[in-house]
Amino acid sequence: MGSGTIDSIFGPTRNPWKYDNENWNITGGSSGGSAVAVTTGSCVAAIGSDTGGSTRNPAALCGIVGLKPTYGLVSRHGLIPLVNSMDVPGILTRNVEDAAIILNVISGPDDLDSTTLKQDMKPVELRDIDMSKVTIGIPKEYHCPGMSEEVIETWKYVTDLLETEKCSVKSVSLPHTSVSIAVYSILNQCEVASNMARYDGIEYGLRTGETYSTEELYASTRLKGFNNVVRSRILAGNYFLLTRNYDKYFIKALKLRRLISDDFKNVFNGVDKVDLLLTPITLMDAPSYNDFSMKNNRDQCAFQDYCTQPANMAGIPAVSIPIRLSKNGLPLSLQLMGPALSEDLMLNVAKKIESIVKFPTLDGVE
Amino acid sequence: MRFTKLCHCLTVKSTLIIKRGLVSKSSDKWQSVVGLEVHAQLNTESKLFSGAQNTFGGVVNNCVSLFDAAVPGTLPVLNRKCVELGIKTALALSCRVNEVSTFDRKHYFYADLPAGYQITQQRAPLASDGVINFQVFTPGIHKKPYKKSSKIKQIQLEQDSGKSLHDTELKQSLVDLNRAGAPLIELVFEPDLEDGEEAAALVKELVLIVQRLGACTGRMEEGALRVDANVSLRRPGDPLSTRTEIKNIGSIRGVAGAIRHEIERQRMILENGGRIINETRSWDAAEKVTISMRDKEVVQDYRYMPEPNLPPLRVNLKTKEDHHDVLSVPLIQEQIPELPEETRLNLMQQYQLRPDAVIQLVNEPTLLEYFQQLIADKPRNPTKVSNFLLNELLMVLNKRKLDVDDCTITIKQIRELTDMLLQNEINLETGKNILYQLLDLADDDASPLSIVEDKGWKQLTDEKEITKMCIEIVENNPKLVKQYKDGKVKVLKALLGILSKKSQNKINMALASSILEEVLKK
């Protein structure tokens, strides 16, 4: 959990860009390991789970493609759950074409996941598309405090580039964006509290030697097995789910989630509808480990997930595309989002952007 | 030995009646209120959300899928058959089946609950607002049957937990997950009952219904149907007062006993100026007491949350169109068989049987089956047939400590036997002896006719011979005869007993009685 990949049992994961033993940057997370494996060429593609941006965030900071498919398009059977209603198996690859190939293989109905869509999706097909027929929306709420100049410039650069390609580009509004991160945090903690209940040391996993009572065994096992981040989410989640708090927090969060989802429906369906949205994905390039570890996990998430988690709240597809290198020589990426099951158009436009920006590969730089 | 057992039974029964007397005496002061919650295991091949086998008595931890052990990454997949059986039960109990129902997680930590939560239907259950109608009649307690009904608040689908086995000597707990995830329906009844006997009668009726539907085996001894009872006392006219909950009562007589004792316990506390605390108690059938299960008076917060891995369950209420994941309720309605209440009415109307006989017949499906078969193939006297089954056959089975459902006597054997009885070829006493023989032989080919021939048990009806025997008895028992002639008419019974014994119980008693009286007059 978290957007750093610095808390895992084997120590922090290092960003392969500008790597040196003294000074290094984080990979982003939580699927930072998958992103490193793909970036370095250890594998062609990797799967990561995307609950609030965990595939797209490390992909963006490591300079690869990170695809979060529509909720229900890819089976979650076998995926370790974090937030069941938002989790999607994400795809990390070095280019859009590989992502499309993997998606076509892993998508489709699965009897073992009752939340998968019942019909097969038409496979994604990459082709030369007529960009003049595509309308791109630029949601103004994604200009958020703390966003670096470089990210804003990159955003502007691709916006101009799409206009040059004859896309119609317009400013749109997703008014509930700013509350999304708080709502996400409540729902996340509730489902985490529930999903982590099974790690009690009885059936599998760590079990301490405590023999005084079953309750003591649970307490000591869970104290030892979970780090602070997980424990604080469990505590908060259980608090929100108490009968006396349920309506005040959980139900309210669900209502706001509906409004956030409706924001997207409105821009994708209204009179002034757009086909896709173009937004930043992180607020800056990969932070250095030293800077990042100064803030606590909760604040980092509130900051790092700002642009990514709304797609999970609404269940819509999103893709992170690397654009260019920052002054520091680190990748800067942008995100495309589309309505449910718009993977075909979204990846075709991503492919077009990819072919124009010609982002360097890691070995090409060094 | 047997005799002492019987005596013991009689004393138990008489104490029951005395206690009952006490209850009614003070009932103007306290009114007992009872409501039930029943968990019934659905009789399906596989579990509620996994493909693991749903069976009783399998090898420990052998019917456990990865999902049942809560292995991360596994997901629930709803078993269609469970929905079908749940709806069937709901319809049989006149419930409103809900077009959309949803699943929730109920969180608590327990060693035999691997996920740390149970998937149930708390907010939007499968069905709501039903009713169960039943007859209350316990021989020895009630003089005659009376009608009662209890409203059903809701019926929900949910998972069963595993089983914990505690070894107090080794201080070890062992967990068997074979039952974890088995399908249950929970039936929540309104507090419409007054005592343990009514509750027991409700449960009996429910068992009969789910058995007819094939929804549940109803075997309480296997835990296939478990009862929780909420009990409270109040002054007549007052609102409901603090209740206690008795958990997991495992037999029908246990339901009656546990509730009777709990009412008694609460009454004692209240009459001594005490206060009832809201707590969970368990029933100790051996000691005949309810025991507090948790010492803390803290209400547990289950932190309910919608189950995000299961979409809402939708059913088709209007048409007979049946889909893979949308079941047709009208189609299920068509498959509902005749229910016990209907059978009782039919039996009374068609055969003029007494209400209490009809209740007893319907309560024992095996006896009912014998009765229906005996009545179907040729005209036999329904009252005599039912009396024979309810008196002689039941008594013989009790003596042999056999459950009615385990009776090995075939319908062919019962037919032969009843015909001999109805045609006066044998007397009732011989009929009973033949039943003992059939049970002891447990041989489908054994024939009651040949048993009678082999043993020479044919009824003695020859008047001359009986007269001869009577004269002999009178001559050999001058004392008794003198008593009789002095006006102690009861002595006739003793003389008849001697006569019967002398004939090896073969004599036609009605005939013998009148002949003996004639002889005595001389």
Side-chain angles (χ1 to χ4, degrees), chain A residues 71 75-81 84-85 111-115 118 190-191 193-200 202-204 214-215 218 222 238-239 241-244 246 250-251 254, chain B residues 67-78 104-105 107 109-117 123 166 171 173 175 177 301-311 324-325:
Chain A
Y71 186 84
S75 169
R76 291 181 295 117
H77 184 242
L79 185 76
I80 309 286
N84 302 276
S85 66
D111 285 344
L112 296 175
D113 176 359
S114 310
T115 64
K118 297 285 174 262
C190 291
E191 285 201 40
S194 174
N195 285 329
M196 297 295 141
R198 67 188 60 208
Y199 300 102
D200 56 11
I202 304 287
E203 287 81 19
Y204 44 77
T214 316
E215 283 72 23
Y218 291 146
R222 290 166 67 80
N238 279 322
Y239 176 79
L241 289 176
L242 287 175
T243 309
R244 65 170 195 271
Y246 187 77
F250 190 75
I251 292 293
L254 286 184
Chain B
F67 174 78
D68 304 323
V71 169
T74 55
L75 296 166
V77 180
L78 182 58
D104 302 287
R105 292 180 178 182
H107 298 89
F109 282 108
Y110 208 80
D112 54 28
L113 186 76
Y117 56 80
R123 292 165 307 146
H166 304 291
K171 289 201 165 182
S173 292
V175 177
L177 293 182
D301 194 317
Y302 292 115
R303 291 154 288 128
Y304 285 100
M305 187 189 91
E307 166 56 67
N309 294 321
L310 289 166
H324 175 63
D325 37 84

Side-chain angles (χ1 to χ4, degrees), chain A residues 96-98 100 124-128 344 347-348 351:
Chain A
V96 174
E97 196 176 346
D98 287 353
V124 171
E125 191 192 327
L126 296 180
R127 56 195 181 270
D128 243 344
D344 187 78
L347 290 179
N348 270 294
K351 173 84 187 155

